[in-house]
């Protein structure tokens, strides 16, 4: 039914948009000009027209409806499309070809069923799997398409499903609803047609944004008027630019320009707005969200690709063998066969030895095809499925709180999880919880907020005492928690500074309050930071109660105080501060300012120097902990000065040219010589275990890039708090250029800096170039310090252009950490694509929102954070779980094992099939190259399916080299996967060589014995059937022993399968050779009596035993030698495991504490414009203002200026580099290590931190210096504890 | 629907749904958490070295025993293609198929062949393992159920199924294998002294596999054999029909003829020997073949020179493991002796 449902929907969509000729009458007066209507279908749309409330008209254009389709098939197309896709697999085509060959009687050397049965089986299994996958896609499409929305149809609101919403419809949205399509905002419940949206799904920004309807439509508040609305929108065709929209509304014979400010995009959520009406402009696949989500691509793992290459090679090899044998056949037929014709005349069709050779070529292709058995592909799928289930079943990746287990949504990528080199992470919702918490503060030189446990030690997270009791304050927010009681005591005692501190917090902001019931306060904050600060003030007794454009009412310790709001000096990116000027009831005028430390500390009164020093220390401490800091200051203004200043401000704001600059300088003037009050520290709360996970992944040589739509400061701050950026980082390069040249220059400078550093020894952070291009490596090898790169969205746009992308990549890869901020969803995908394309490395993208979808789809592996509000990311992802920290387990445990198992599986698989098949090749030389098989055809059919499949499957599913705890403790164990060491072309050749070696012995030892020997009853031993049974039996035993040797982890299942396979072999052998079957089908079971006769011969068993010994012992010897001479890390870990069992466990603890860093912790998720909004009173309900005529007073100038500022901001002077006011610190002398001592020093450092241990003990294989790689046993907090 | 009101069903349903709510947490089973108890295979030095040593000792021991027993085998082989060159020449031409040619090969046995003695014929360069050759038979005919080879579904025309000269009468036994049966007669005679030549008593029974004789080959059921085979033709190269292969012993006639069965068990390699007769240990020959002068009297029928093949007769005794050749013993010895060497190297390395 699920399969059927959406296909009907689709059907309907298609029918509704059936092409129709456009009648002339549509061209009417007042209609927009340029009537040349283009076909909109298939991307040729040049312009979009949509008329409100006129479905008939809009249907002319065949715009896409609002139903989205991510599924691939429907019932009718499933079979042909799926088969077509499957036959694009090299292997499947190859088997089809073989099947056709086998149907030619002259060529056929095996029964047809040997190929067709497995082929059909494989195709069917894959088809079933694809069908289920697609079924779930249909289901999720259905779910989205069937969401309800209110559509204005025939003058009344009707509930419609999302998919039935058309371009031109007017729909009504209510608070907290998802926007169903890209809408033109017409009107809203708020004054002036304002409406607030959260765009986290689109761009990851969490602050609220404001949209406004154009004035003419904002009055269309009621349905009757809306129903009559017949404006026509003419706008750009669908595109993926989220921040751009150009178009015009034609209504009542006039034209109104439209911009992005008037648009509500699909994926946004309506906030703080009761309702709004919108006109659908883009629907379904045309929406910016869908346009940004990229195509659904079929992902393949690198092993898949390698396998396809190898299959091609094997095919080449097959052809070579075929040619050799065909030539042999031609010669043989010419020399011997012609004479032998007395006993066996040639086939009628064969007239020459040459032709016979030609035929035998094809015959041999059929016989030898088992080098690539079709069961390979099925087995690989089965193994991957098993691994996926292990991921789904993992309790350590289960989140108790959200009740979400980890989920492997794709079952084809598991082993690639063991090869990841680059992780691209979203910030908001992925690394952070998107919760801002007032964490610490410094008031007049005293720091509050440290948590002390009972013994007076600084308590770590998770062992906190009781939080502070705010019950004295009836207006306190119950959810607010603070642990340092001293601050509250200070407030209660009446410390004036503390009071002033919180007064500032309660006054200096742009938060709106709402009090639905008495005492039930709700704050509408533009940024969560600000909300956190005001909430903190509220709980400490300074409750921001309400505001009007001119006043702010605060409940200070229980008494209501109304301040007169004189001015808001708004925040912007350059000023990085905001101030308010208020007059208190006593009449004193005071300026309160909060802002970035880098800016504010320079504007303080010289008398505060001493306080400044202590506060700076606190700021550094906070910054070191990754907290987001703001400095608070105030200044008293006298009445005359203020009046005079207000005059100047008015003039500046009225100026025609360079108004911005003038205002800025006026602001600048008043915000000087301020008195320092203190600083706040807000925790942008990280998800649990994020720093530890990042540290562990870094140790595993995985590079983590953060790609976020958020602001630069915020992103950098998170970089610090999650330990991506540390104080070890020599320098952080910030690229914020706005032009190609600037960006190029900045990148060049960064590279030069890296090159300049006196180190020449490469370190662990050079990118692993698999395909060295001289230019790239030259830089990378020279880099030694630890650098970080921060790049802005607009710079990234230039950096990603074709001529600069390599430069950018090269620079970025030389850096230890890369943070891209303000990036669009598409840019995220482009960055991933860039690394994917040029680095030949496996990439993983992790994110939680719709803005991460394109990146998730582009990366080799996409991971979605589940349990959040939106599910787009999860739907697009390959794996999903609810906590970032689970990534370490997914990669280091599941990924690593999957890779290991898959590699071992493939090695063994190729080995066993070469050993199996090559025997035919050798036999060719003894049977006149006549394409006679050595084995019974049933053995050939069953060998891969029954006799040898289960043990290797069990190994592929269950094998473990080291216990899971070890792979977390020694992240270096992950490296073989990244370097592709376990299965590559070299390993493949080794497997093949081993297989061929086995085949030689399995054939020639019995040959040598049989040629002369006789049975114990005197009859000849060397009859064909006995030989076949002997070779087959020894082969089965040899490969079984070999799998026993390869299996590193013998569970009961492995035992069962290995012994079971052998038992089944003998059971089937005796059954096939039994009298009963022969009597029923004498022509099919011609080996009657063979098993019991042959296997009763001691010579046969001696031969089998010898073959096994000779095949296996060299392998054992080789492995043992390798283990003792060149052990790899997992061997060492395994060995140390043994040693450790015997000894007391010695654990190294990590160096606790952190050094203070000299950097700014400033970050503020705030945007310009709200100050003006507040002062104008535009966003306040008239009722709440109590000033009826107020709103009309100051026109809509603010929104114009707001819009202008927005559009200006990309062009505004670039943000100072991160280090802004503080000059970048000169490289610390200790960091400037002379080249030759660099490595030694590093090692020394590590040793000092307990990272490098003395070698545990010398293994039986002698001392190797491997222990130096044993990296710190990082505590893995995420591993054991379920997320709280 | 009425079941819904059954309290018991209802309760279990409730239970189930509440379980479903909680069941999002994966089960804590060893299998699902990948914690199955298992033995971790570890190549430890002592294990590997002692394993090597044990295997080496075993191989060496077996190898020596095999070599010794192979040495005890007495074998004599006489290639008679060249010796009977005139017969061979005669057989080159198919026209002479009805001309009998015999050939006597005297030889001297210097040592007694103790115990059971087996007489083989051996062919060089005769390919019984060609793909089309092996297929060229009908087992259903040979068990007597499908004498006219109606069931035999063949992809292409394997020769010798229908007699072309007799309107396509089905051939019994059909196919290339049966047609090319080895048809020399070999008689061993013992020259006790210059005057007494006695034929060495030979058994023709017991030279086939039990399953071949009693399962795989059956004569069609009829009152007598010749009537059973009516409607079929003899294979083209045969001088007499299948039911006249052994007129004296009905158990050895038709498809059940031992020589025929032996031939039909195709050899794996182009050089092979097939058991022809075994010594009947009576009179002089209770101990085996005494030393002395012997001669083979061969009726030369089977042409081999055309495909550059050769024929020989072999007399051989057996040991406990059958006619074990030197190869197996040598291989074991070599393996066994190379292992301690490797052992030494390995232990040196550690």
């Amino acid at each position: 039914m699920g399969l059927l449902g959406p296909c009907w929907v689709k059907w309907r969509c298609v029918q509704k948009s059936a092409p129709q000729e456009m009648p002339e009458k549509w061209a009417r007066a007042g209609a927009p000009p340029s009537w040349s209507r283009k076909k909109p279908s298939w991307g040729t749309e040049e312009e979009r027209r949509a008329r409100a409330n006129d479905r008939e008209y809009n249907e002319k254009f065949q715009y896409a409806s609002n139903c989205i389709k991510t599924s691939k098939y429907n019932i009718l197309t499933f079979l042909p499309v799926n088969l077509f896709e499957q036959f694009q697999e090299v292997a499947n085509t190859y088997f089809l070809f073989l099947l056709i060959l086998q149907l030619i009687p002259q060529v056929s050397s095996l029964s047809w069923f040997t190929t067709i049965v497995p082929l059909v089986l494989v195709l069917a299994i894959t088809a079933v799997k694809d069908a289920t996958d697609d079924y779930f896609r249909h289901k999720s499409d259905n779910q989205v398409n069937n969401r309800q929305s209110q559509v204005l149809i025939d003058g009344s609101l009707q509930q419609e499903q999302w998919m039935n919403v058309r371009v031109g419809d007017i729909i009504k949205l209510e608070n907290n609803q998802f926007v169903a399509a890209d809408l033109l905002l017409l009107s809203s419940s708020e004054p002036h047609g304002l409406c607030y949206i959260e765009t986290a799904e689109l761009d990851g920004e969490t602050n609220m944004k404001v949209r406004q309807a154009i004035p003419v439509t904002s009055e269309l508040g009621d349905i009757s008027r809306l129903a009559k609305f017949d404006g026509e929108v003419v706008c750009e065709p669908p595109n993926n630019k989220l921040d751009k929209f150009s178009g015009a509304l034609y209504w009542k014979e006039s034209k109104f320009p439209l911009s992005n400010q008037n648009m509500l995009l699909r994926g946004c959520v309506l906030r703080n707005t009761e309702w709004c009406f919108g006109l659908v402009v883009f629907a379904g696949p045309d929406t910016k969200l869908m346009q940004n989500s990229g195509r659904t691509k079929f992902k393949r793992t690198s092993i898949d690709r390698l396998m396809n290459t190898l299959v091609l090679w094997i095919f080449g090899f097959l052809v070579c063998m075929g040619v050799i044998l065909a030539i042999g056949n031609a010669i043989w037929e010419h020399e011997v066969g012609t004479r032998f014709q007395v006993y066996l005349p040639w086939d009628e069709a064969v007239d020459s030895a040459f032709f016979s050779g030609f035929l035998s070529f094809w015959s041999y292709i059929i016989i030898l095809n088992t080098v690539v058995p079709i069961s390979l592909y099925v087995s690989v799928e089965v193994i991957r499925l098993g691994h996926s289930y292990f991921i789904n079943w993992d309790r350590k990746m289960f989140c108790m709180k959200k009740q979400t287990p980890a989920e492997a949504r794709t079952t084809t990528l598991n082993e690639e999880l063991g090869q990841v080199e680059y992780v691209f992470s979203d910030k908001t919702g992925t690394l952070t919880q998107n919760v801002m918490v007032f964490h610490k503060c410094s008031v007049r030189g005293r720091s509050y907020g440290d948590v002390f446990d009972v013994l007076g030690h600084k308590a770590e997270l998770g062992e906190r005492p009781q939080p502070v009791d705010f019950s004295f304050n009836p207006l306190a927010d119950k959810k607010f928690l603070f642990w340092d009681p001293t601050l509250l005591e200070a407030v209660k005692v009446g410390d004036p500074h503390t009071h002033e501190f919180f007064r500032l917090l309660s006054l200096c902001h742009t938060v709106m309050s709402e009090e639905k019931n008495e005492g039930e306060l709700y704050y509408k904050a533009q940024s969560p930071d600000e909300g956190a600060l005001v909430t903190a003030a509220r709980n400490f007794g300074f409750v921001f109660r309400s505001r009007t454009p001119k006043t702010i009412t605060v409940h200070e310790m229980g008494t209501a105080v109304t301040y007169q709001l004189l001015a808001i000096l708004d925040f912007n990116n350059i000023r990085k501060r905001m101030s308010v000027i208020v007059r208190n009831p006593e009449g004193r005028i005071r300026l309160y300012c909060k802002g970035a430390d880098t800016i504010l500390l320079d504007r303080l009164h010289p008398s505060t120097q001493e306080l400044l020093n202590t506060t700076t220390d606190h700021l550094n401490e906070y910054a070191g902990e990754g907290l987001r800091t703001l400095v608070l200051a105030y200044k008293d203004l006298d009445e005359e000065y203020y009046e005079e200043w207000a005059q100047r401000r008015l003039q500046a704001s009225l100026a025609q040219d360079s108004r911005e600059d003038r205002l800025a300088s006026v602001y600048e003037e008043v915000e000087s010589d301020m008195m320092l009050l203190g600083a706040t520290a807000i925790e942008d709360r990280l998800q649990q275990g994020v720093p530890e996970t990042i540290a562990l992944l870094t140790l595993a040589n995985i590079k983590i890039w953060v790609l976020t739509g958020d602001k630069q400061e915020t992103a950098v701050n998170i970089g610090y708090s999650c330990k991506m950026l540390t104080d070890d980082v020599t320098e952080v390069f910030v690229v914020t250029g706005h032009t190609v040249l600037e960006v190029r220059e900045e990148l060049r400078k960064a590279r030069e800096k890296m090159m300049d550093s006196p180190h020449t020894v490469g370190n662990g952070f050079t990118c692993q170039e698999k395909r060295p291009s001289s230019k790239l490596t030259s830089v990378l090898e020279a880099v030694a310090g630890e650098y970080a790169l921060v790049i802005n969205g607009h710079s990234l746009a230039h950096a990603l252009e074709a001529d600069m992308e390599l430069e950018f990549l090269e620079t970025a890869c030389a850096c230890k950490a890369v943070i891209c901020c303000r990036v669009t969803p598409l840019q995220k995908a482009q960055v991933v694509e860039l690394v994917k394309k040029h680095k030949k490395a496996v990439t993983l993208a992790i994110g939680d929102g719709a803005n991460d979808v394109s990146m998730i789809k582009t990366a080799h592996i996409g991971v979605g954070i589940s349990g959040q509000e939106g599910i787009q990311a999860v739907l697009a992802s390959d794996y999903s779980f609810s906590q970032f920290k689970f990534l370490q387990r997914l990669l280091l445990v599941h990924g690593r094992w999957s890779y290991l198992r898959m590699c071992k599986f493939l090695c063994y698989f190729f080995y066993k099939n070469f050993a199996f098949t090559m025997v035919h090749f050798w036999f060719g030389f003894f049977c006149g190259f006549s394409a006679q098989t050595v084995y019974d055809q049933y053995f050939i059919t069953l060998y891969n399916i029954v006799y040898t499949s289960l043990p290797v499957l069990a190994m592929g599913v269950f094998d473990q080299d080291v216990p899971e705890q070890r792979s977390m403790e020694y992240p270096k164990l992950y490296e073989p996967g990244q370097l592709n060491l376990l299965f590559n072309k070299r390993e493949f050749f080794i497997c093949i060589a081993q297989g061929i070696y086995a085949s030689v012995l399995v054939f020639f030892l019995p040959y040598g014995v049989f040629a002369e020997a006789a049975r114990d009853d005197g009859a000849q031993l060397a009859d064909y059937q006995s030989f076949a049974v002997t070779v087959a039996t020894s082969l089965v035993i040899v490969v079984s022993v070999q799998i026993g040797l390869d299996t590193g982890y013998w569970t009961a299942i492995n035992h069962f399968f290995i012994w079971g396979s052998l038992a089944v072999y003998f059971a089937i052998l005796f059954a096939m050779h039994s009298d009963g079957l022969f009597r029923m089908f004498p022509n099919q079971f011609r080996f009657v009596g063979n098993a019991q006769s042959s296997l009763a011969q001691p010579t046969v068993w001696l031969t089998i035993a010898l073959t096994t010994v000779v095949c296996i012992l060299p392998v054992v010897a080789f492995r043992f030698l390798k283990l003792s001479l060149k052990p790899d890390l997992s061997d060492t870990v395994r060995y140390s495991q043994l040693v450790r069992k015997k000894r007391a466990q010695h654990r190294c603890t990590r160096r606790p504490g952190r050094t203070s860093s000299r950097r700014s912790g400033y970050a503020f998720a705030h945007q310009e414009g709200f100050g003006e909004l507040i002062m104008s009173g535009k966003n306040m309900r008239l009722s709440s203002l109590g000033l009826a005529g107020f709103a009309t007073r100051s026109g809509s100038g603010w929104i114009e200026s707001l819009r202008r500022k927005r559009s200006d901001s990309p062009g505004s002077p670039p943000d100072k580099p991160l280090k802004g006011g503080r000059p970048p610190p000169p490289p610390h002398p200790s960091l400037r290590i002379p080249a030759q001592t660099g490595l030694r020093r590093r090692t020394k450092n590590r040793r000092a931190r307990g990272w490098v241990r003395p070698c545990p003990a010398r293994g039986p294989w002698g001392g190797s210096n491997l222990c130096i790689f044993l990296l710190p046993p990082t505590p893995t907090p995420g591993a054991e504890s379920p997320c709280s | 629907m009425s079941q819904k009101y059954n309290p018991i069903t209802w309760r279990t349903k409730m239970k189930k749904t509440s379980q479903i709510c909680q069941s999002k947490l994966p089960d804590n089973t060893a299998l699902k958490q990948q914690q199955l108890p298992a033995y971790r295979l570890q190549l430890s030095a002592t294990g590997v070295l002692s394993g090597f040593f044990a295997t080496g000792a075993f191989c060496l021991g077996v190898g020596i025993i095999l070599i010794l027993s192979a040495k005890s085998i007495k074998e004599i082989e006489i290639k008679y293609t060249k010796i009977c060159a005139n017969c061979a020449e005669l057989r080159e031409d198919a026209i002479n198929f009805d001309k009998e040619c015999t050939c006597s090969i005297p030889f001297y046995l210097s040592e007694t062949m103790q115990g059971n003695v087996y007489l083989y014929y051996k062919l060089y360069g005769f390919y019984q393992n060609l793909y089309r050759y092996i297929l060229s038979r009908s087992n259903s005919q040979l068990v007597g159920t499908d004498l006219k080879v109606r069931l035999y579904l063949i992809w292409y025309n394997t020769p010798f199924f229908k007699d072309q000269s007799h309107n396509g009468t089905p051939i019994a036994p059909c196919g290339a294998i049966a047609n090319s049966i080895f048809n020399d007669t070999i008689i061993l005679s013992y020259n006790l002294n210059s005057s007494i030549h006695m034929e060495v008593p030979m058994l023709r029974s017991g030279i086939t596999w039990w399953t071949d004789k009693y399962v795989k080959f059956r004569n069609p059921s009829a009152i007598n054999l010749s009537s059973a085979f009516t409607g079929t033709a003899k294979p083209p190269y045969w001088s007499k029909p299948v039911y006249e292969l052994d007129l004296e012993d009905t158990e050895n006639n038709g498809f059940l003829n031992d020589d025929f069965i032996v031939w039909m068990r195709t050899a794996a390699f182009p050089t092979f020997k097939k058991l022809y007769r075994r010594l009947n240990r009576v009179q002089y020959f209770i101990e085996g073949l005494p030393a002395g002068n012997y001669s083979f009297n061969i009726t030369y029928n089977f042409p081999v020179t055309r495909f550059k093949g050769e024929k020989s007769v072999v007399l051989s005794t057996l040991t406990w493991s059958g006619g074990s050749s030197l190869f197996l013993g040598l291989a074991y010895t070599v393996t066994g002796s190379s292992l301690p060497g490797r052992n030494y190297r390995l232990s040196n390395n550690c």
Side-chain angles (χ1 to χ4, degrees), chain A residues 1127-1146:
Chain A
D1128 46 32
L1129 187 57
S1130 65
D1131 298 331
T1132 320
V1133 170
R1134 253 205 311 274
Y1135 178 71
S1136 61
Q1137 177 82 1
L1138 285 181
V1139 173
R1140 202 187 301 200
K1141 269 184 196 160
K1142 292 166 193 161
R1143 297 184 188 187
Q1145 197 169 348
H1146 162 74

Side-chain angles (χ1 to χ4, degrees), chain A residues 1230-1241:
Chain A
S1230 70
L1231 290 172
R1232 294 216 164 236
I1233 311 156
Q1236 57 274 39
T1237 61
L1239 192 61
R1240 203 185 308 150
R1241 200 191 156 86

